[in-house]
Amino acid sequence: MTTLLWLRQDLRLHDQPALVAAAHQGAVIPVYILDDEAPGAWRIGGAQRWWLHHSLAALDKALRDHGSRLILRRGDAVAILNEMADSVEAEAIHAICHYEPWWRKAEATLGERLCLHDGNHLAPPEQVTTGAGGQFRIYSAFWKGLQAHLPPEKPLHAPDAIPAPDQWPGSDKLADWNLLPTKPDWSGGFDWTPGEDEARRKIAGLELDGYDDRRNLPSEEGTSRLSPHLHFGEISPRAVWHASSAHDVTFRKELAWRDFTDGVVLALPDYADKNGRAAFDKLPWRSGKAAENDLRAWQTGRTGYPIVDAGMRQLWQSGWMHNRVRMITASFLIKHLLIDWREGERWFWDCLVDADYGNNAVNWQWVAGTGIDANMFGRIMAPLSQSEKFDAGDYIREWVPELKDLPDDAIHDPDAGGCRPGGYPAKLIGHREARERALAAGRKVR
């Protein structure tokens, strides 16, 4: 008996319930399909493609070490899976559940020949529900509801061997997909090591002492840097959970946030495109040439606010940004520049190696105040004081080299220190002026 293993954002052998189930039935054909049509505007971005190339190469090697291999195809996932299943006479297609709207549509189309397994969550989103049976829309209530499903089950071991078919179907060559970006700043690649081995190495050495405080300090290596591995499913959330301890509550809450955001897009599939609160459809976002210039300055790290510019340059050069700085840069675009949050969401989608449909959308709407569980629009982060509060001086020096020689009392705001270098841009707008403009726009919503 032959089965297909449909891989998407679950590129691992350990704690892979779909793989374990398929291997129990007989020969397994693992297949990854690059489908750029089903997601529409949400086809994976440039940074994710870089990661995907290396992750697929690592997975193929791991499969070959287990007596198997990875089949690559490009095109309509549903059509390719049906055609392949017919040609090899596969009795089933095993896969892990996904919650992006295009994948849920594909899963429904495949019908009864598809056997779905949960494996990318601490608990299946359909099981963590309100008393009325719906998805939680407030994270604190979700966290409380999740407790009934914790701890998650222990991770499954990888199979010792994966049964191979008598004959393998044809496969594309990974290099022919041209996933590696050609943008000049990205041509050398990023300083990451994609793949399951690296993800498992990281959780084996997971160090969370002082995490509550250190995670907010951009100048320190205080975060786990597991997010892209989790996004591509190179490690499972429950494996990460069991690598932490009961004392690591903040870390575990952040891990659970990923489950929460999948529940949000399960209930609201178009959350990445529409305001969670319809009243914000009336908010007068800026448009026109001046707004376009400001957006470009934000994207390229030329706003005149050192902490913002450091974050945006880190994003472009590394495919990742520190979590605290993500909030600061997002708030700056939305509140200081009064530019639609969706512009920032799409920029992050293209530039982040860990860009996740639900997580990205929920986070942007939280900062914007437009979401179902969100900050108030009137809460405007002050980037200069945030930079000083979280001691971002060395972080700024690393990513904004024009400012590397400034003293500590001027690094957060060179203008206030009277020592802004000639090559560093002036502020796009003053903080007080930006705050007043944003509050005026917010009043039109109310």
Side-chain angles (χ1 to χ4, degrees):
M1 178 177 177
T2 299
T3 61
L4 299 184
L5 174 65
W6 181 25
L7 296 162
R8 287 170 286 177
Q9 289 160 212
D10 37 49
L11 306 179
R12 63 182 184 271
L13 303 188
H14 291 80
D15 201 25
Q16 233 296 8
L19 168 60
V20 171
H24 281 163
Q25 292 186 351
V28 180
I29 299 176
V31 56
Y32 182 91
I33 301 167
L34 182 62
D35 187 341
D36 283 331
E37 297 303 319
W42 296 105
R43 65 194 293 268
I44 63 172
Q48 289 182 75
R49 286 173 184 264
W50 177 90
W51 189 287
L52 178 63
H53 174 94
H54 296 289
S55 188
L56 291 175
L59 179 62
D60 183 57
K61 181 181 182 303
L63 285 167
R64 289 177 186 274
D65 289 343
H66 286 72
S68 184
R69 59 171 294 193
L70 182 61
I71 300 299
L72 301 175
R73 294 287 181 88
R74 187 170 193 167
D76 184 313
V78 172
I80 290 171
L81 286 168
N82 279 325
E83 181 276 328
M84 188 180 294
D86 290 341
S87 66
V88 302
E89 299 182 350
E91 296 194 15
I93 302 168
H94 288 272
I96 286 179
C97 297
H98 284 64
Y99 290 83
E100 294 85 352
W102 55 91
W103 289 138
R104 288 183 57 79
K105 180 180 178 181
E107 290 168 2
T109 304
L110 285 166
E112 293 184 357
R113 84 190 311 172
L114 179 64
C115 302
L116 288 171
H117 309 264
D118 188 79
N120 280 358
H121 302 90
L122 297 172
E126 295 91 343
Q127 294 181 15
V128 187
T129 56
T130 66
Q135 300 301 134
F136 284 102
R137 300 192 177 201
I138 303 296
Y139 176 70
S140 57
F142 169 84
W143 173 251
K144 189 176 295 184
L146 180 63
Q147 302 310 301
H149 305 272
L150 296 177
E153 294 180 5
K154 290 289 184 70
L156 299 169
H157 295 292
D160 292 331
I162 301 171
D166 294 332
Q167 185 173 353
W168 288 98
S171 174
D172 292 352
K173 292 181 179 179
L174 181 59
D176 291 342
W177 283 3
N178 296 317
L179 293 174
L180 298 179
T182 57
K183 297 178 181 180
D185 290 23
W186 290 357
S187 58
F190 300 126
D191 187 21
W192 292 89
T193 303
E196 182 178 11
D197 285 350
E198 176 67 7
R200 289 175 61 77
R201 185 194 67 77
K202 282 182 178 176
I203 66 165
L206 196 59
E207 177 55 65
L208 297 173
D209 287 347
Y211 179 80
D212 280 17
D213 295 323
R214 295 179 64 237
R215 70 193 175 100
N216 279 313
L217 303 176
S219 296
E220 292 194 20
E221 194 67 69
T223 63
S224 70
R225 296 177 71 87
L226 281 167
S227 56
H229 299 289
L230 282 162
H231 170 67
F232 281 94
E234 296 170 348
I235 197 78
S236 71
R238 59 188 183 188
V240 178
W241 178 280
H242 287 290
S244 64
S245 75
H247 300 291
D248 303 319
V249 177
T250 299
F251 178 78
R252 286 181 164 182
K253 282 185 173 181
E254 291 182 345
L255 189 62
W257 177 264
R258 305 178 68 85
D259 279 27
F260 170 68
T261 61
D262 270 349
V264 170
V265 298
L266 176 61
L268 302 168
D270 56 2
Y271 199 71
D273 294 298
K274 294 184 179 179
N275 292 317
R277 290 191 279 170
F280 279 89
D281 293 346
K282 297 184 294 183
L283 197 144
W285 300 112
R286 291 173 62 224
S287 60
K289 190 64 176 178
E292 290 174 6
N293 290 339
D294 284 354
L295 174 61
R296 183 59 181 161
W298 176 81
Q299 292 171 338
T300 56
R302 302 284 296 171
T303 68
Y305 285 79
I307 184 65
V308 175
D309 295 340
M312 298 308 297
R313 296 186 196 187
Q314 182 188 31
L315 171 64
W316 181 255
Q317 295 174 43
S318 74
W320 187 83
M321 193 196 299
H322 185 275
N323 182 61
R324 167 59 56 175
V325 186
R326 293 189 196 200
M327 290 190 287
I328 295 170
T329 57
S331 178
F332 186 87
L333 179 74
I334 297 163
K335 312 294 177 62
H336 280 67
L337 301 183
L338 205 59
I339 290 175
D340 194 323
W341 61 268
R342 283 159 284 217
E343 295 285 357
E345 178 196 31
R346 282 160 176 75
W347 186 252
F348 274 28
W349 181 260
D350 190 41
C351 296
L352 281 171
V353 291
D354 63 6
D356 181 88
Y357 180 79
N359 214 358
N360 199 35
V362 173
N363 289 345
W364 272 94
Q365 293 224 50
W366 185 87
V367 175
T370 59
I372 54 177
D373 180 11
N375 237 330
M376 294 175 59
F377 183 82
R379 183 182 177 190
I380 300 169
M381 299 181 80
L384 302 177
S385 58
Q386 285 276 312
S387 179
E388 186 172 5
K389 177 180 179 180
F390 294 108
D391 196 19
D394 288 342
Y395 176 77
I396 292 168
R397 292 185 179 96
E398 178 180 1
W399 295 106
V400 189
E402 308 98 295
L403 307 180
K404 63 182 174 60
D405 295 326
L406 293 189
D408 290 343
D409 60 357
I411 191 68
H412 307 290
D413 185 3
D415 288 337
C419 54
R420 177 168 59 87
Y424 187 65
K427 295 183 179 74
L428 291 178
I429 188 172
H431 175 64
R432 179 175 296 181
E433 178 188 353
R435 186 175 186 277
E436 292 174 355
R437 182 173 68 180
L439 292 175
R443 285 192 289 271
K444 294 184 179 181
V445 172
R446 291 198 300 273

